[in-house]
Amino acid sequence: YELRKQVNGVLGWSRLLSYGSLYPALKKMLKAGWIAEHVSAPEPGATSRRQRIVYELTAAGDEQFKRLMADVGPSAWEDDNFDVRFAFFSRTDIGARLRILEGRRSRLQERLDRVQHQLEKTQKQMDRYAMELQRHGVESVEREVRWLSELINAERRDDETARLGDPPAPPAAPAASDIQHQ
């Protein structure tokens, strides 16, 4: 329960981890030796009589995590993986972060170009609500492309600053209008 709560806290509201996903993943990681399981009896006076299970990352698990985070290919910037990868950017080197951000931005720009082109072709055939849905999709992708561009620029500034020996600047706070729409 606690593990699921913590993972969901890291991933945010847009991606919730179910128990149906968590337990098979834990079993797979245990079998591969990436995590260790420690079981303890319930504490006296506790409201639950269930055993407490604590999972710990092993050295092999840490190496596997590093391998996964170093993979900056197309799967790293696709919809299904990007937010998870982004959640762990603090443990990813700057070169990998930049490649993932640039790949994501490029993929979204391609998607945006396709949708805008298709919209131009079919605009007259759509009713008002279909048009609004398309407009909303375009605006959402445009907003994410702008956000990614800002992140890329900040990463490059921080990299340049680090190479010159100055401490990196704190990340800029998002504008209130961006927070409302994310």
Side-chain angles (χ1 to χ4, degrees):
Y1 170 80
E2 186 63 31
L3 179 60
R4 179 178 177 262
K5 188 169 107 177
Q6 287 182 19
V7 170
N8 285 339
V10 169
L11 296 178
W13 64 270
S14 65
R15 185 176 184 133
L16 297 176
L17 181 66
S18 70
Y19 290 114
S21 298
L22 177 62
Y23 290 125
L26 288 172
K27 285 181 183 180
K28 178 182 175 183
M29 290 187 286
L30 276 167
K31 186 176 181 179
W34 298 334
I35 59 174
E37 180 180 76
H38 304 285
V39 181
S40 62
E43 294 190 20
T47 56
S48 173
R49 294 184 183 170
R50 300 181 87 186
Q51 294 178 324
R52 180 179 169 100
I53 302 172
V54 177
Y55 296 96
E56 178 182 25
L57 190 63
T58 64
D62 191 50
E63 286 303 312
Q64 176 65 8
F65 179 79
K66 288 175 183 173
R67 277 192 297 278
L68 290 170
M69 295 308 289
D71 177 12
V72 295
S75 68
W77 57 70
E78 293 297 338
D79 293 345
D80 290 345
N81 297 321
F82 176 74
D83 54 351
V84 173
R85 296 296 297 270
F86 190 80
F88 293 102
F89 261 22
S90 64
R91 293 185 61 186
T92 307
D93 75 72
I94 190 163
R97 288 193 308 259
L98 278 169
R99 285 190 297 277
I100 292 168
L101 291 170
E102 289 167 346
R104 175 75 176 169
R105 181 178 62 181
S106 175
R107 184 61 48 93
L108 288 176
Q109 191 61 55
E110 290 169 7
R111 186 183 302 166
L112 183 61
D113 294 344
R114 272 194 319 272
V115 169
Q116 287 175 329
H117 179 72
Q118 187 65 27
L119 193 56
E120 290 171 7
K121 292 168 89 176
T122 60
Q123 196 167 10
K124 292 177 182 156
Q125 301 165 351
M126 290 186 190
D127 67 18
R128 181 177 120 202
Y129 299 103
M131 284 297 298
E132 280 301 309
L133 185 60
Q134 291 292 322
R135 186 180 64 78
H136 171 70
V138 166
E139 289 174 359
S140 295
V141 174
E142 287 173 338
R143 188 171 40 257
E144 187 170 352
V145 167
R146 279 192 309 273
W147 174 71
L148 289 164
S149 293
E150 291 168 7
L151 287 171
I152 290 166
N153 290 337
E155 288 287 336
R156 288 184 179 144
R157 275 193 309 274
D158 289 351
D159 185 40
E160 182 67 24
T161 302
R163 283 190 277 128
L164 296 175
D166 297 333
S177 60
D178 290 339
I179 293 172
Q180 293 171 355
H181 299 291
Q182 289 181 359

